[in-house]
Amino acid sequence: MFDFAAFKRAYEAKDAAAWAACYAEDAEWIEYRHQNPPRRPHRLKGRAAIATFLRQVEAWPIGLKIEDEILAGDRIAFRSWVDLGDGRRIIEHVMLYIEKSLIIRQIEVEACD
């Protein structure tokens, strides 16, 4: 069973190592960002690429918060707020797909203030 509580702690603490450990070796992370058209989402493939990105996030002066999570077996949905520290925020709606207690795919859609 996927440990969502541990994922949430790592996410909100920006603990890159603990956060990356939640992903399968061949996981895929897909982000639909305001600056990327829907046909060209930002993609990360593999735990190593995801871990590299998360180490960057860890260093950014931002706050992360998960709320309104819904856990349904092999799928988890939640809303994330990214506090940019200057009064602006990013909102993300995230869907996690779980297999063998690890995230195999993450799809998110984000919007900015």
Side-chain angles (χ1 to χ4, degrees):
M1 176 173 228
F2 182 72
D3 187 349
F4 184 76
F7 171 82
K8 185 174 180 176
R9 280 191 305 275
Y11 187 101
E12 291 182 343
K14 297 189 313 179
D15 180 341
W19 191 355
C22 296
Y23 292 85
E25 198 63 40
D26 61 346
E28 182 177 33
W29 181 328
I30 303 167
E31 287 183 324
Y32 293 91
R33 297 175 171 173
H34 65 282
Q35 71 265 39
N36 297 99
R39 290 186 310 258
R40 298 196 44 150
H42 179 252
R43 293 179 183 267
L44 297 169
K45 184 68 176 165
R47 183 188 297 145
I50 292 168
T52 297
F53 173 68
L54 296 180
R55 284 190 296 277
Q56 293 171 0
V57 172
E58 188 175 50
W60 294 341
I62 61 171
L64 299 176
K65 177 79 174 144
I66 289 177
E67 60 184 30
D68 293 333
E69 54 268 27
I70 300 170
L71 287 64
D74 64 350
R75 292 194 178 122
I76 297 169
F78 61 90
R79 178 174 47 247
S80 173
W81 289 101
V82 180
D83 181 353
L84 300 175
D86 61 0
R88 293 179 304 136
R89 297 189 303 172
I90 298 171
I91 185 173
E92 300 175 333
H93 286 99
V94 181
M95 189 75 180
L96 303 178
Y97 297 84
I98 309 299
E99 189 174 283
K100 298 179 183 171
S101 299
L102 294 170
I103 301 166
I104 59 167
R105 181 174 296 122
Q106 176 172 325
I107 300 175
E108 64 183 67
V109 177
E110 68 176 44
C112 296
D113 282 347

